[in-house]
Every structure is written in structure tokens, then in C-alpha cells.
Amino acid sequence: MKVPPTLSTVLGNLFKKPATNPFPVSEPVPVPEGFRGKLVYDVDKCVGCRLCVMVCPAGVIEYVPEVRKVTFWLGRCVFCQQCVDVCPVNALRMSDEFLLATTDKYDDNLRWLKEDEVEELKRKLEEQKKAKEAAKKAAEKKE
Amino acid sequence: MNVDEFVKVFGERFPEAEVRVSENKMPHPKRRVWVEVEREKFHDAMKFIRELDPKAQFSIIIGRDAGETLEAKYHMELFWEEGESISLIIGTSVPKEDPRLPTVTDVFPSALPYERENQEFLGFVFEGIPDPRRLFLPDDFPEGIYPLRLDETGIKPEMVKNAGHPYKIRKEGAK
Ligand code: SF4
Ligand code: SF4
């Protein structure tokens, strides 16, 4: 019988350690620098310019006119980082997080600025407006 | 044969054809020949090109809805065995009421998939096409709708589905 040419390689490999990473027993393979993981949104920095809505190729972002912010559904994100690059105030960045599996496509972990947060922002803006008006009135009275 | 020679030879054979040469700048300087032929002469023109260079490489047909007419541009590389090839874009257009074009599959057999594609997506009719079946559209796709048309025979708004953004769904209700 002819000896198969791969035999020596196969036999040699039998005595080597496996070259696998037994996740989740071990840590996952570390991510490189500049890795594009889950998008992170900083609501306070956002100025509502809508540039990210324009560049996003995947329809992740919706503008919320009442509060002049944007809301994200990362279930659609393709991790292209275009919104991060275009944001003029650095309200967006890519994190290292990549373990994003879920059983619910509308999972809270895949959303930024959810409905209740929008409501709360609206209330805050309302209060600010009232406070301003009150201050104005008070100033007028003094004069 | 180089670009200038080709322009001369082709212009002599088809004096009424519109021929122009464009020039790409860096990083890939290249001259391209653009030819516009009327429908009646189109098949002859393709045959002539094949005779000039029997090994001409047929790349693709790009169809376009140009308003009143449908445009088809045939891209090919000529004389590629002689070093720098000639990049040729030869086109023709047909009125929408009468979108017939002669098939060129008898000259360039590899044109068949592109002709089938242009038939189903833009409503061209390639006369003498050996296999007029649909290529990409599903069998249950309605007849008389051409997805790449910009007029009323294109995709209807109700055919466009959007899986929706949760913020909008919760605000406006699922559709
Ligand atoms: S990374 Fe790309 S796909 Fe994801 S939200 Fe930003 S622009 Fe959209
Ligand atoms: S680009 Fe930045 S500042 Fe502009 S809307 Fe998007 S997140 Fe806000």
C-alpha cells in the first residue's frame, strides 16, 4: 500500500497541543486596537445635526424632532463607523463590546435613547423652558 | 490597434455614428472610446467589432431608463492580447413604445445573460434572443413591471417593504 503523503504531518500534529480557544471556558480572542464593536451614543453631547442619519447605510438611526436628538436600533447596524466619523461633536464612538446575541431583536441592549428616555428628555426641556420664562418674568418685574 | 486607429477605422465604416474618446486621469490613466450607434446599424456595428478583433472580450450590458428612451451600453475590451487594451463602450437607445433591439448573442454568445437581465429589469425586447426566460426575477413576479424603470411600469410603492424602526413602530403602530 502507498503511504499517503500527509501521514507524517498528521502523526506529527497528533502530539501537538490543540490550537483552539475553548470559549466560553477561556476569555475570547482579544480584539485589536480600533475594533468596531457596539456603537456608544452620548446623548448629552449630541446637537441633533442629523449628519449620522444621512450617512448611515443601514437605517439604524431615526431623528426625534421634539428633543432634537437621535434614536438608535443597533439590530440593523453593520458596524461601518461612518456615523462616528461624521459626528461633529464626537457624541458617537465604537466600543470593544461584541457579544451582542439576544433573543429579542428590540432588546434594550440594542437601543440608544428609548421611548421612556425620550419622554423624560421632553419633560426636562419643558421644565427648562418654564424656568427660563419665570426668570424672564422676574427680571421684568424688577425693572 | 490603438485608440486612434480604432476611432478612424470605425468612423470610416459607420460615418453617422457618434464617437468620442474620454481620458481618465491618475491614478489609472486610460483612454476610453464611447460610441453611439442607431438601432438599425447596431447589429452591424457589433459584427464589425467582432471582425476587427475576434477575441474581443464582451464584459456587460448596462441598461438605463433615460426618460423617453431606454439606453443600453455594451462594454468591451478589444485587443487585450496586444498589451494595453482598448476599452470600448458602444451604446444605442430605443423609444419606450418600441423597445426592440437586435440580439447580439449570435456575435457575442456571452451577451445572453445580460440581454435576459435587461429584458426583465427594463423591458427591452431583444429580437432573436435564443433564451428569453427570466434570469434573476422570481417566477411569481408580476408581468409588465420592470424594477429598474423610473416610470409607472417600475416598482409600485406598495411593493416596497420596510421592516421598520422600533421607535417608529411604537410611535405610529406596526404597519
Ligand atoms: S456604524 Fe454604520 S451602520 Fe452602524 S449606526 Fe453607524 S453608520 Fe449606521
Ligand atoms: S452626528 Fe452626532 S451630533 Fe449629529 S445628530 Fe448624530 S450623534 Fe447627534
Side-chain angles (χ1 to χ4, degrees):
Chain A
M1 199 187 86
K2 231 178 87 190
V3 180
T6 47
L7 185 64
S8 64
T9 315
V10 170
L11 286 179
N13 282 345
L14 272 180
F15 299 101
K16 284 190 190 144
K17 265 199 274 171
T20 47
N21 180 18
F23 181 79
V25 179
S26 65
E27 284 294 306
V29 177
V31 297
E33 208 185 303
F35 178 80
R36 303 200 295 246
K38 179 187 166 183
L39 183 70
V40 178
Y41 176 46
D42 185 339
V43 192
D44 297 332
K45 277 192 193 166
C46 175
V47 293
C49 65
R50 275 177 279 177
L51 282 176
C52 52
V53 183
M54 278 171 63
V55 298
C56 180
V60 170
I61 315 167
E62 285 286 343
Y63 183 57
V64 188
E66 304 96 311
V67 294
R68 287 207 260 132
K69 303 282 179 192
V70 282
T71 168
F72 295 78
W73 174 37
L74 301 181
R76 274 186 179 165
C77 180
V78 299
F79 304 87
C80 65
Q81 205 185 316
Q82 297 200 93
C83 54
V84 177
D85 292 346
V86 82
C87 180
V89 292
N90 293 329
L92 297 170
R93 71 181 171 84
M94 300 306 262
S95 69
D96 281 351
E97 195 184 338
F98 62 89
L99 299 173
L100 303 171
T102 163
T103 51
D104 173 13
K105 64 178 175 179
Y106 300 143
D107 193 297
D108 282 355
N109 190 31
L110 298 180
R111 305 279 313 272
W112 286 114
L113 203 62
K114 292 180 280 285
E115 290 77 7
D116 42 334
E117 290 167 303
V118 170
E119 287 309 316
E120 209 181 307
L121 257 181
K122 259 194 235 168
R123 229 175 296 131
K124 256 193 212 157
L125 282 179
E126 210 53 40
E127 271 165 28
Q128 272 176 15
K129 218 167 132 195
K130 269 189 200 145
K132 244 191 211 164
E133 267 162 21
K136 223 175 164 189
K137 266 189 195 150
E140 273 168 11
K141 257 187 197 166
K142 255 188 198 167
E143 274 173 21
Chain B
M1 199 173 261
N2 64 25
V3 167
D4 299 309
E5 284 162 4
F6 176 80
V7 169
K8 191 160 163 288
V9 174
F10 192 88
E12 276 165 10
R13 174 73 172 72
F14 295 95
E16 65 298 314
E18 210 181 286
V19 183
R20 94 190 146 82
V21 178
S22 71
E23 205 155 332
N24 268 29
K25 298 271 165 352
M26 299 302 282
H28 303 294
K30 177 137 184 128
R31 296 175 78 203
R32 284 222 155 83
V33 187
W34 300 73
V35 177
E36 201 57 43
V37 194
E38 53 184 295
R39 159 165 66 177
E40 285 67 35
K41 297 272 170 61
F42 190 71
H43 192 265
D44 289 344
M46 294 300 270
K47 237 161 97 188
F48 179 64
I49 289 163
R50 185 73 201 259
E51 280 156 20
L52 275 184
D53 178 14
K55 291 205 166 160
Q57 207 231 228
F58 188 98
S59 303
I60 197 168
I61 306 172
I62 307 281
R64 184 172 87 96
D65 180 345
E68 298 294 300
T69 56
L70 296 175
E71 272 178 15
K73 302 242 185 253
Y74 296 57
H75 293 226
M76 45 195 107
E77 291 295 314
L78 311 179
F79 307 107
W80 47 271
E81 278 186 323
E82 298 174 13
E84 199 179 340
S85 59
I86 299 180
S87 183
L88 170 71
I89 294 124
I90 177 165
T92 187
S93 55
V94 296
K96 273 187 181 168
E97 312 83 70
D98 178 27
R100 287 175 303 111
L101 251 183
T103 180
V104 296
T105 46
D106 49 338
V107 189
F108 294 102
S110 60
L112 181 63
Y114 309 113
E115 290 188 350
R116 284 171 68 182
E117 182 192 11
N118 277 285
Q119 284 202 155
E120 63 185 1
F121 279 110
L122 282 155
F124 279 98
V125 175
F126 288 94
E127 290 187 301
I129 185 170
D131 178 3
R133 284 175 307 155
R134 277 179 176 168
L135 182 57
F136 295 113
L137 287 184
D139 292 334
D140 59 358
F141 194 82
E143 295 287 335
I145 292 196
Y146 305 111
L148 293 186
R149 282 268 192 116
L150 304 176
D151 54 23
E152 62 287 348
T153 60
I155 293 280
K156 307 259 179 291
E158 62 269 20
M159 294 170 81
V160 181
K161 303 272 191 290
N162 183 342
H165 192 289
Y167 178 72
K168 282 207 150 164
I169 291 175
R170 267 167 227 187
K171 222 169 120 209
E172 298 164 9
K175 278 194 195 136

